[in-house]
Amino acid sequence: MKQDIILVGSGGHAKVVVDIMDEMGSFNIVGITSKELNPGSVFQGYPVLGNDSVLSEYQRRGIKYVAMGIGGYRDNSQRKNVFEFIKALGLSFINIIHPSAIVSKTVKLGEGVVIFPGAVLNTDVFVGNNTIIATGSTIDHETEIGNHVLVSAGVTVGAYSKIEDNVLIALGAKIISGVYIKANALVAAGAVVVKDVEKSERVFGIPAKPLKNA
């Protein structure tokens, strides 16, 4: 029997999440919550139920699980705030993993993780809550990734690396093995990170340097 679920969000990221859930074949999408679309409209073939405030009503009807459909290509804060709001309601997030992703049996995932097509997570990787591993990204062995992180498409993260909460790694960046990226940092598209990145630092270029020195 398929699990009833509500998808939160109605942007481009949510479209991908719908496709992944359809591919997984394990869920019955009851509907979508959206700040932008009117209740009663349709998103990717599923009804829009209203904004996130309707979740309490559906919880009373027996819904226990939601899927995170909010991305964050510029900022992780909205996704984090929505995650915390929904957790406070007592609902749980499922993990969304495309069947083409390669995820080692030793990988440990938090709650509300989304893994896009073609991603690879190798041995003993840890991924925290509400984190996105986007299309074709590779996370090598024994790397730790925190909560509310975005690893964008085509990113390569070497072994033994550590990425703290709320970090945003943009398209095609490369993180060499053993690097420590601290909370709230941003790694720009195409950057090659060869040394640790400090808290809230923004690094650009090859090799990656803080914005003030770029």
Side-chain angles (χ1 to χ4, degrees):
M1 184 176 177
K2 292 184 178 182
Q3 178 68 59
D4 287 346
I5 194 159
I6 292 175
L7 174 67
V8 176
S10 59
H13 180 80
K15 292 180 180 179
V16 178
V17 172
V18 169
D19 282 350
I20 296 173
M21 285 197 286
D22 287 344
E23 288 287 334
M24 293 173 74
S26 304
F27 307 108
N28 173 44
I29 302 175
V30 173
I32 313 293
T33 63
S34 173
K35 293 193 302 182
E36 291 80 25
L37 302 179
N38 293 325
S41 60
V42 176
F43 177 80
Q44 299 298 101
Y46 297 100
V48 176
L49 307 175
N51 61 33
D52 294 345
S53 66
V54 305
L55 289 171
S56 294
E57 175 188 344
Y58 280 88
Q59 184 184 32
R60 289 192 291 271
R61 297 183 189 181
I63 296 293
K64 298 179 181 178
Y65 299 99
V66 296
M68 178 59 82
I70 297 172
Y73 73 100
R74 292 179 177 172
D75 190 305
N76 292 309
S77 59
Q78 181 188 11
R79 192 169 79 256
K80 177 183 176 182
N81 292 340
V82 170
F83 180 89
E84 292 175 345
F85 168 77
I86 292 172
K87 288 300 295 178
L89 296 177
L91 291 162
S92 297
F93 285 85
I94 61 165
N95 291 333
I96 305 295
I97 304 172
H98 194 276
S100 70
I102 299 172
V103 180
S104 166
K105 63 183 179 182
T106 62
V107 167
K108 293 182 174 61
L109 301 177
E111 182 178 338
V113 175
V114 180
I115 301 177
F116 277 32
V120 177
L121 282 71
N122 279 325
T123 309
D124 289 336
V125 164
F126 173 83
V127 179
N129 298 329
N130 193 33
T131 284
I132 299 167
I133 310 295
T135 310
S137 288
T138 60
I139 314 296
D140 221 329
H141 60 91
E142 296 163 272
T143 283
E144 298 180 18
I145 300 177
N147 304 315
H148 319 297
V149 172
L150 171 61
V151 178
S152 299
V155 168
T156 301
V157 181
Y160 307 111
S161 297
K162 183 172 182 178
I163 299 169
E164 288 190 337
D165 295 352
N166 311 316
V167 168
L168 195 159
I169 304 176
L171 291 165
K174 298 185 185 300
I175 316 298
I176 70 162
S177 296
V179 162
Y180 185 3
I181 302 178
K182 297 181 182 179
N184 303 305
L186 181 147
V187 177
V192 177
V193 180
V194 299
K195 63 180 183 179
D196 294 352
V197 178
E198 296 303 314
K199 183 177 180 180
S200 301
E201 203 165 50
R202 302 164 68 87
V203 297
F204 298 73
I206 304 174
K209 296 180 181 180
L211 178 60
K212 61 181 181 291
N213 296 325

